[in-house]
Structure formats: structure tokens, C-alpha cells
Amino acid sequence: MFDSANRTELPLASSTGCSCCSPAGHAQKAPAAVANVDAAAPSQRTFSVDGLTCGHCVRTVEKAVSALDGVESASVDLVAGGRSGLTVAGSVSDAAVRQAVTSAGYSLAAN
């Protein structure tokens, strides 16, 4: 579905490039809340994320999800203007991932 091995590293957008990089988009965001780990969760899952437009958006989501207890890795395959793929490895619950993405200012797409 998402080929993260061949993803292109994108530069940060300028201060007028997208909504997350506008001066208002750089407001300090609250750290992502950590939810309880679901021991039965699969070790790697891919989620669809709406609203990502640049490399800054990607790093914001990766950082928020990576901060959760139980996350071994988190990477985003950016599809600017579409649904980007977020791959998460580790024993973290889907609810915790959703909360971290939401706290970062984005949303998981309904499947």
C-alpha cells in the first residue's frame, strides 16, 4: 500500500508554504498524551492520515507518535493533499496512536 522504502525526503516548507508552516502554525503544541499499551496489538500497522502537506507535517506526526510508550518506530509516507501512510511498529494501541496524531493537529482517516 505505502512504499516507505522509496519515499522521498521532503524539505521544510517556507513560512508561507502550508498551514502548518504559517506563523500561526508554529504555535507551541501540547505534548501527545500517552495511553495504556495494548499487549495484544499487532507489532506493525499502517494508518491513513489526513492533512499532511510537507516535511514539517511529517516530522510533527512522527515525533508525536514516536513519543508514545511501546512505539519502536513511526514513519510517514507523505502524499501531499491526499491520505498519507503512517506505519507504526511496536505494542501501542490504535487509540493511543489516534490521540497522538490528533494532539499533533492532524487526523486519522476512517477506513
Side-chain angles (χ1 to χ4, degrees):
M1 178 173 202
F2 299 102
D3 186 11
S4 61
N6 292 323
R7 75 179 192 192
T8 303
E9 188 67 31
L10 299 173
L12 292 176
S14 69
S15 63
T16 59
C18 67
S19 61
C20 79
C21 293
S22 68
H26 284 289
Q28 196 69 353
K29 296 181 182 184
V34 178
N36 293 332
V37 175
D38 179 4
S43 62
Q44 183 169 319
R45 291 160 336 270
T46 300
F47 303 88
S48 295
V49 183
D50 287 327
L52 305 180
T53 58
C54 68
H56 180 261
C57 298
V58 167
R59 283 185 272 297
T60 299
V61 170
E62 288 176 345
K63 183 177 178 181
V65 174
S66 293
L68 295 172
D69 286 338
V71 172
E72 296 170 13
S73 67
S75 64
V76 173
D77 182 22
L78 178 65
V79 178
R83 288 191 170 164
S84 300
L86 166 63
T87 302
V88 179
S91 59
V92 63
S93 70
D94 291 358
V97 171
R98 179 176 301 279
Q99 185 174 4
V101 170
T102 301
S103 293
Y106 304 96
S107 62
L108 292 183
N111 290 334

